[in-house]
Amino acid sequence: EEAKIEVNEGVDIQRNRLETANAMQQAKVEADRGEFEMARITVECAKKKVMESRSCKAERCSDLYEDLDGVEKYMSSSQWNYGKKCVNASEMSHRMQRSCGAKTKYKTAKQACMIASSSVPVMPPTGPA
């Protein structure tokens, strides 16, 4: 019997991130050939892997699943012209660990602190003019 090795959660999240990016890239190739059903299957398989992974409850894995779900909706001939750009951006975001769009999945603790502090409204001085 093969012994099961306990995988570190952080490593598992990174593996899910790369598998997600690879699945998006493969789905793009399939969609470009007009093989939209194969592209959907590729995305579905990636979603299943993420949900069955050790780190499936981690916020980043939920984000990966959500992004794969979003990509899947573009896997049709009527949606592909617009969707290709969105899939490209999402794939590169995960491949390079850089956020694009409204979500900030790959921010560091320092970046999060800076964002939070910049979001605090500055109150005008009060008192006699």
Side-chain angles (χ1 to χ4, degrees), residues 20 23-24 27-28 31 36 39-40 42-44 46-47 61-76 79-80 82-91 94 103 105:
T20 295
M24 288 178 179
K28 276 191 321 190
F36 296 107
R40 281 190 293 277
T42 297
V43 173
E44 280 293 324
K47 286 168 46 177
C61 288
S62 295
D63 290 341
L64 293 172
Y65 187 90
E66 185 181 307
D67 285 352
L68 285 164
D69 227 18
V71 162
E72 190 174 14
K73 74 180 178 185
Y74 297 122
M75 297 301 152
S76 68
Q79 296 290 317
W80 185 236
Y82 171 76
K84 184 175 184 172
K85 294 175 183 102
C86 297
V87 173
N88 257 343
S90 190
E91 181 218 339
H94 294 303
K103 293 185 181 180
K105 295 177 180 114

Side-chain angles (χ1 to χ4, degrees), residues 115-124:
I115 290 167
S117 67
S118 70
S119 300
V120 175
V122 176
M123 299 299 291

